[in-house]
Amino acid sequence: MSTDRTRGYRVFQGINAVILTGVVIVTLYPFVNIIARSFSEERYIVGGQVNLIPRGFNVATYKLVVSDPMFWTNYRNTVVYTVLATAIAMVLTTCYAYVLSKKHLRGRTFLIWVAVFTMIFSGGLIPNYVLINSLGLTNTIWSVVLPNAISVFNLLVMKTFFEGLPRDLEEAAAIDGLNTYGVLWRIVLPLSKAVIATMILFYAVSFWNSWFTAFLYLNEGDMFPVTIYLRNLIAGATGAEAAGAGIAEASAAAANIQAVTIMLTVLPILAVYPFVQRYFVSGVMLGAVKG
Amino acid sequence: MSATLDTAELAEAGPRQDRPRRARPGTWRYALRRDWQLYSLAVLPFAFFVVFRYVPMLGNVIAFRRYEPGGSLFGESWVGLRYVRMFLNDPSFWNVFTNTLILGGLTLLFCFPLPIVLALLLNEVRHRKLKRFLQSVSYLPHFLSVVIVAGLVMQLLAIDGPVNQIVKALGGEPAAFIQKPEWFRTIFVSSEVWQTVGWGTILYLAALTTIDDQLYEAARMDGAGRWRQIWHVTLPGIRPTAITLLILNIGTFMTIGFEKVLLLYNPLTYPTADVITTFLYRMGVESSNLSYAAAIGLFEALVGVVLIVSANLISRRAVGTSLW
């Protein structure tokens, strides 16, 4: 599109700039506010005086949260769950996507439908809950890392990517004596670093952020991921307020701790975000080529 | 796979050893001999789907059977439509059903069109770096855990939070928004918009780049102004994307955002906040009425399927775009 220099269009550009600035402010404001709160003294928060800049700058609450051994246990759990779940997810997804990308394979359509159908219809909360209980996975790490091991969306992205690889290369490798496993490991995977990195990011972020499976299946505090730690803080706050009385002190202290915990939980995401964001975008585009 | 699987034969056969005199091309036996290594790669993922996706689908039979905690996955004895009748006669069910429709409807109403608008606006930004910055900022909330989002919402709406600061500055009385049923829908939908709108623009922005510049030229030749170009060229250009996303949104209509509801609601806001999934969570997991909850869950899933299938059908008939 070349630009028209009409007056109406310039007015539009002005309005557009205002709207988009508004979008940026609205998007970023909660972050800035939470940073300010996390570094503020409680009395300023209670007074409703903390906005964009910390008042009564201090790191006391950070020290408080960091000195809670449970916080660290849960934080470490999140790391462990994320790494293990991502590893399992990558192995399963890669294997299945590779198989599905072989157009000559008999039964391929059936295998694809097995996966895609689960996007349209799923068992639902209760049967899943019963299943995990029946398998005896409750309160084990497996209840967190297994039930969501394959994301069909990621699977289709990888399948599309594998389909785009040159077939001749694989055939040549097969003629040179590599079997299917060898072809996948030595030829296909090295060519797929970009998509593998993207998939790892997709999975890692979703496992890092997940809370509901852990909430359903884990009962012991020292097994919780940090999302549940934070959730319990929030629930505690609503609980206290819902009770009606004594809102002031109880929830204000909680508010300060909440702010700090939110900061510490979101930090890894914010730290890697600028570097990884574009991979996500390209991954989504790739997935959109063939839904 | 119900192929006639001769394991001894498979173990003998090496990779890519075709022996056409024993198995003709096009048969399962031939396919298995030739591709058994590929099939072996599919075994574990396939087992995953069977165990964690299809067994729960079958597990829905407990909606029609009496389930006893610790008993069989598929229940103990048939009870027919007992649980279905139970929820159809349950006033709380109708309350959560209505809430689900309203929350889902409002979410669809705002979260579907706003990304289109934002994408059109972003598309008009000529400055490359600025555009990239705007996109990065607007995607950011998508990467946060719903727990974090709930935490941010609580902080913003707290008695001493920024929203109440504004209310006070305007001379109003600070309110505990999170405990007022009349505010729940607004809170839910706006936080949903905050989190999803930027990310939702991705596919539209991609679709916009594929529109042929010549179409704009032609439209200008015909005397179309900026607005008419958007109306006659841009919007038709992103229509397939929009319809695909609309169908998908309709498909998740019933379950949308329930994790956030679970995090944000409390007994005071149940009248407007309680949705089917949170209700069946309390019924099933907290009160152990698993069969009853499964019946409701099955109903919810069926409504979801009917919605997505009919949306797909309508869109195929009306505009020729469909998911399958």
Side-chain angles (χ1 to χ4, degrees):
Chain A
M1 259 184 289
S2 59
T3 40
D4 340 2
R5 291 281 164 215
T6 63
R7 200 166 150 210
Y9 186 61
R10 261 177 304 176
V11 171
F12 166 78
Q13 286 288 30
I15 296 171
N16 194 13
V18 172
I19 295 176
L20 290 177
T21 312
V23 170
V24 169
I25 292 173
V26 168
T27 310
L28 292 183
Y29 180 80
F31 294 101
V32 180
N33 181 251
I34 208 81
I35 295 172
R37 283 181 156 229
S38 73
F39 287 110
S40 292
E41 257 175 53
E42 254 169 59
R43 57 196 172 105
Y44 292 107
I45 298 182
V46 182
Q49 293 173 3
V50 181
N51 219 320
L52 293 171
I53 309 161
R55 285 269 180 106
F57 187 90
N58 77 88
V59 289
T61 322
Y62 276 90
K63 285 190 184 140
L64 190 72
V65 173
V66 169
S67 68
D68 179 2
M70 194 53 99
F71 176 79
W72 283 116
T73 308
N74 290 173
Y75 213 90
R76 198 197 55 223
N77 287 342
T78 295
V79 175
V80 172
Y81 297 162
T82 304
V83 171
L84 185 63
T86 307
I88 294 173
M90 283 309 293
V91 171
L92 293 184
T93 310
T94 310
C95 287
Y96 208 55
Y98 184 65
V99 174
L100 296 187
S101 72
K102 292 285 161 250
K103 295 216 163 106
H104 72 270
L105 193 75
R106 200 178 161 105
R108 174 177 177 263
T109 322
F110 169 74
L111 292 179
I112 292 176
W113 263 101
V114 164
V116 172
F117 184 69
T118 63
M119 285 177 112
I120 302 166
F121 190 77
S122 73
L125 177 64
I126 300 300
N128 274 300
Y129 178 75
V130 173
L131 173 73
I132 299 292
N133 279 331
S134 304
L135 292 176
L137 298 181
T138 313
N139 242 336
T140 68
I141 182 172
W142 306 111
S143 66
V144 181
V145 300
L146 282 183
N148 295 311
I150 298 182
S151 137
V152 178
F153 177 82
N154 291 359
L155 178 75
L156 294 176
V157 171
M158 278 200 111
K159 166 180 161 287
T160 310
F161 183 87
F162 287 148
E163 279 169 358
L165 290 176
R167 282 186 57 188
D168 304 349
L169 215 57
E170 290 179 54
E171 276 164 19
I175 289 166
D176 286 347
L178 278 181
N179 60 21
T180 306
Y181 309 131
V183 171
L184 175 60
W185 187 251
R186 299 229 226 135
I187 308 293
V188 174
L189 292 186
L191 286 174
S192 313
K193 282 188 190 124
V195 77
I196 289 172
T198 313
M199 291 297 106
I200 290 177
L201 283 176
F202 270 83
Y203 275 124
V205 168
S206 83
F207 289 123
W208 182 275
N209 282 337
S210 79
W211 71 286
F212 189 62
T213 18
F215 178 66
L216 269 184
Y217 302 129
L218 301 179
N219 306 321
E220 286 160 23
D222 54 6
M223 290 195 68
F224 289 161
V226 71
T227 38
I228 302 290
Y229 183 94
L230 178 55
R231 183 262 162 196
N232 290 344
L233 275 184
I234 297 169
T238 34
E241 287 178 13
I247 303 171
E249 297 100 285
S251 74
N256 211 340
I257 295 173
Q258 263 187 51
V260 170
T261 312
I262 292 175
M263 279 304 296
L264 290 173
T265 312
V266 85
L267 211 57
I269 301 265
L270 292 186
V272 297
Y273 176 71
F275 307 102
V276 301
Q277 183 238 128
R278 62 198 175 91
Y279 294 106
F280 280 95
V281 176
S282 55
V284 167
M285 306 272 218
L286 199 58
V289 176
K290 266 191 238 165
Chain B
M1 279 171 293
S2 58
T4 49
L5 206 147
D6 189 342
T7 29
E9 211 173 67
L10 278 177
E12 274 176 20
R16 309 226 168 230
Q17 268 185 328
D18 299 350
R19 284 187 226 159
R21 74 194 148 85
R22 292 188 54 199
R24 274 174 293 109
T27 61
W28 270 111
R29 181 180 286 221
Y30 175 83
L32 277 171
R33 172 149 333 122
R34 189 186 55 179
D35 292 322
W36 68 272
Q37 291 190 329
L38 272 179
Y39 289 120
S40 72
L41 285 175
V43 169
L44 278 181
F46 188 79
F48 164 83
F49 281 113
V50 171
V51 175
F52 290 105
R53 293 291 180 267
Y54 287 91
V55 170
M57 280 183 209
L58 297 178
N60 271 310
V61 294
I62 69 165
F64 309 106
R65 290 168 70 86
R66 190 187 316 282
Y67 173 81
E68 275 161 28
S72 161
L73 184 55
F74 303 110
E76 307 300 329
S77 55
W78 290 101
V79 294
L81 296 177
R82 181 164 176 267
Y83 296 111
V84 177
R85 272 198 294 271
M86 232 166 99
F87 77 68
L88 290 177
N89 291 321
D90 184 344
S92 343
F93 168 77
W94 289 108
N95 179 39
V96 297
F97 185 68
T98 322
N99 279 342
T100 309
L101 292 185
I102 294 175
L103 266 191
L106 286 174
T107 309
L108 191 65
L109 190 68
F110 288 96
C111 289
F112 171 69
L114 283 179
I116 301 180
V117 175
L118 186 60
L120 290 176
L121 294 179
L122 281 172
N123 197 45
E124 296 295 330
V125 175
R126 291 279 161 266
H127 198 292
R128 235 166 214 292
K129 279 192 178 156
L130 181 63
K131 187 174 172 183
R132 202 168 314 144
F133 167 77
L134 289 169
Q135 282 174 259
S136 299
V137 168
S138 67
Y139 298 162
L140 178 59
H142 171 82
F143 292 92
L144 304 185
S145 170
V146 60
V147 180
I148 304 270
V149 175
L152 290 174
V153 169
M154 297 283 188
Q155 295 277 305
L156 288 172
L157 297 175
I159 289 282
D160 47 38
V163 173
N164 272 319
Q165 289 176 36
I166 295 171
V167 170
K168 260 193 275 186
L170 296 175
E173 275 293 298
F177 293 104
I178 223 71
Q179 289 152 47
K180 306 232 164 176
E182 65 269 30
W183 279 101
F184 187 84
R185 287 170 184 151
T186 318
I187 293 168
F188 179 87
V189 174
S190 30
S191 69
E192 200 72 11
V193 166
W194 180 78
Q195 196 174 10
T196 59
V197 159
W199 189 248
T201 60
I202 288 188
L203 294 178
Y204 293 113
L205 286 169
L208 285 171
T209 59
T210 63
I211 298 175
D212 195 344
D213 267 352
Q214 290 182 354
L215 289 173
Y216 288 105
E217 300 269 336
R220 253 198 308 277
M221 294 292 187
D222 293 343
R226 204 82 203 181
W227 291 110
R228 296 192 68 98
Q229 286 173 38
I230 288 180
W231 187 252
H232 291 289
V233 181
T234 313
L235 287 180
I238 58 174
R239 195 172 65 176
T241 311
I243 288 166
T244 307
L245 290 178
L246 182 62
I247 299 172
L248 287 174
N249 279 349
I250 290 172
T252 54
F253 186 90
M254 299 293 281
T255 47
I256 198 155
F258 106 89
E259 286 188 16
K260 197 155 71 187
V261 176
L262 200 57
L263 289 165
L264 284 177
Y265 81 163
N266 59 56
L268 293 176
T269 46
Y270 281 177
T272 53
D274 204 8
V275 292
I276 294 181
T277 321
T278 51
F279 180 67
L280 69 87
Y281 165 77
R282 289 203 312 279
M283 280 296 140
V285 178
E286 286 183 356
S287 317
S288 293
N289 294 324
L290 285 156
S291 284
Y292 182 50
I296 302 175
L298 187 59
F299 174 78
E300 181 190 33
L302 288 177
V303 173
V305 171
V306 169
L307 282 175
I308 194 168
V309 169
S310 27
N312 198 46
L313 196 73
I314 292 170
S315 106
R316 185 165 45 194
R317 289 272 166 76
V319 286
T321 309
S322 67
L323 289 183
W324 63 81

